[in-house]
Amino acid sequence: MAEYWTKHDMEFLGGRRLRRSRRTEWSRAMVRETVLTPDDLIWPLFVIEGQNEKTGIKTMPGVERLSVDLCVEAARAARDAGIPALALFPNTPDHLRSENAAEAYNPDNLMCRALSAIKSAVPEIGLIADVALDEYSSDGQDGLVRDGEILNDETITVMARSALVQSKAGADIIAPSDMMDGRVAAIRGVLDGEGFDQVQIMSYAAKYASCYYGPFREAVGTGSRLRGDKRTYQMDFANSDEALREIAQDIEEGADSIMVKPGLPYLDIVRRAKDNFNIPIYAYQVSGEYAMIEFAAAAGALDRKRAILESLYAFKRAGANGVLTYFALEVARELGR
């Protein structure tokens, strides 16, 4: 009976055996549909004050905050590994944080000094500057706050000033991560008016109010000071159509590329964006996603190396042009072997 069914099945399938192409590594490589290269990776760096200073992040094992000089060394390593761009996030000292977030547009702030130093030493690598006020405010919110209300228009005025000093310091891409209405148009207008029309905007167009940001907030020093939450401006994780409206608006306002954040829990958004818009789409494998892999691997629950690669291939398979990931340098070096 077993022999009969085998012959019967093969006759029904016309002799097709899909497993044939999976039998050997060379054959699997030959028919592989999705490709991952160092060009697909963007490496986020956390910047701190000091000289030759690095500090660990408890909830992100293996990731460190780096002083500007060490960021320059990291940029050289990234360039040598074939990574095209870095994304910078400053941990502004407490005494420089304020309710009006004025440090955001100080041309000598930590972010600007890091941009200038890296661009001078490693001009070949692209620099992406985060623009939001949580790294400069005393309350941890991405916008200015008055009587408990997050102010939209007042916030984007400050953000545009911040984007300008970052561009003057050497930023190649401005990445507004706040989710205020109209900030892409405001930033584009200021940059174009000041002669920085070649600076790109990578908009966090679909950024969700997510629990996966916890380790990041520790890394940039905003977690313990955050008052309230960010659900009045970051997106509800139950929504999908809304993300398409946000993306369409940012494209209309002048975004050169868009980002979906977080990453793996929102691959459906990446795919819908790819299907609906002819624009480069990036995904951010955020700190919580990184931490889950690291802690699960440390507990013996999964193979760390395979989990990292599988997660990054998922982004590409879903349609992302690239991924911001804390694994970038390690993976780029592995892919380059």
Side-chain angles (χ1 to χ4, degrees):
M1 184 63 72
E3 182 180 355
Y4 167 78
W5 280 109
T6 299
K7 291 179 180 178
H8 177 79
D9 291 345
M10 285 303 102
E11 289 174 3
F12 177 75
L13 292 171
R16 294 188 300 273
R17 290 182 181 268
L18 296 178
R19 288 183 58 194
R20 274 195 286 254
S21 60
R22 306 178 201 143
R23 185 168 178 268
T24 60
E25 175 57 36
W26 65 262
S27 181
R28 291 191 293 273
M30 191 168 69
V31 300
R32 188 163 291 139
E33 300 171 26
T34 304
V35 177
L36 180 70
T37 76
D39 287 336
D40 300 318
L41 306 174
I42 296 170
W43 189 19
L45 295 181
F46 298 114
V47 190
I48 57 173
E49 295 284 3
Q51 183 75 16
N52 195 32
E53 290 284 339
K54 60 175 68 175
T55 61
I57 303 164
K58 181 179 62 175
T59 51
M60 298 181 71
V63 176
E64 296 175 313
R65 307 176 189 89
L66 304 174
S67 54
V68 171
D69 56 312
L70 295 185
C71 285
V72 171
E73 292 184 13
R76 291 193 178 103
R79 174 201 60 195
D80 294 345
I83 294 171
L86 304 174
L88 302 185
F89 301 91
N91 186 324
T92 302
D94 289 348
H95 71 279
L96 295 175
R97 296 174 185 257
S98 63
E99 290 185 359
N100 63 8
E103 184 67 9
Y105 50 87
N106 175 6
D108 194 41
N109 66 25
L110 181 58
M111 170 72 95
C112 289
R113 282 183 278 119
L115 289 166
S116 179
I118 296 172
K119 183 57 67 176
S120 177
V122 196
E124 312 95 310
I125 202 159
L127 295 180
I128 302 171
D130 180 64
V131 182
L133 303 190
D134 58 327
E135 294 147 348
Y136 308 97
S137 67
S138 52
D139 50 37
Q141 291 286 357
D142 291 10
L144 300 178
V145 183
R146 182 187 300 148
D147 299 326
E149 181 77 16
I150 310 300
L151 306 177
N152 192 93
D153 296 357
E154 294 86 341
T155 293
I156 63 176
T157 297
V158 176
M159 289 180 60
R161 294 180 67 181
S162 180
L164 180 59
V165 298
Q166 291 174 348
S167 299
K168 290 179 178 179
D172 301 291
I173 300 177
I174 297 299
S177 62
D178 58 302
M179 291 296 287
M180 300 294 146
D181 291 332
R183 84 273 205 220
V184 172
I187 292 171
R188 186 75 274 160
V190 167
L191 294 184
D192 289 358
E194 294 290 336
F196 292 95
D197 54 295
Q198 296 303 310
V199 173
Q200 300 177 41
I201 296 178
M202 177 188 288
S203 174
Y204 288 61
K207 182 179 180 180
Y208 285 82
S210 171
C211 69
Y212 288 91
Y213 305 144
F216 174 93
R217 290 174 182 165
E218 178 197 348
V220 297
T222 65
S224 61
R225 60 170 44 87
L226 178 61
R227 303 172 194 167
D229 58 46
K230 304 189 178 187
R231 288 181 291 179
T232 67
Y233 49 98
Q234 294 178 358
M235 286 182 54
D236 185 338
F237 55 66
N239 293 352
S240 175
D241 292 346
E242 183 184 10
L244 300 190
R245 295 196 295 272
E246 290 280 2
I247 293 168
Q249 179 171 305
D250 285 2
I251 293 172
E252 184 178 354
E253 291 182 13
D256 300 284
S257 57
I258 64 98
M259 190 191 303
V260 175
K261 182 181 180 181
L264 284 179
Y266 298 89
L267 291 181
D268 61 315
I269 308 302
V270 174
R271 183 70 259 169
R272 291 194 69 186
K274 188 69 172 181
D275 290 342
N276 283 276
F277 302 103
N278 184 23
I279 194 171
I281 297 163
Y282 295 86
Y284 199 142
Q285 186 178 45
V286 299
S287 57
E289 298 173 64
Y290 171 90
M292 286 195 301
I293 291 176
E294 289 291 353
F295 286 123
L302 47 75
D303 181 300
R304 180 181 178 276
K305 179 178 176 180
R306 291 183 63 183
I308 293 169
L309 287 175
E310 187 173 336
S311 67
L312 295 176
Y313 270 94
F315 290 117
K316 291 299 302 295
R317 193 179 64 246
N321 293 84
V323 186
L324 282 80
T325 174
Y326 303 98
F327 297 116
L329 184 62
E330 174 184 351
V331 172
R333 286 171 169 169
E334 180 69 24
L335 293 173
R337 289 180 180 176

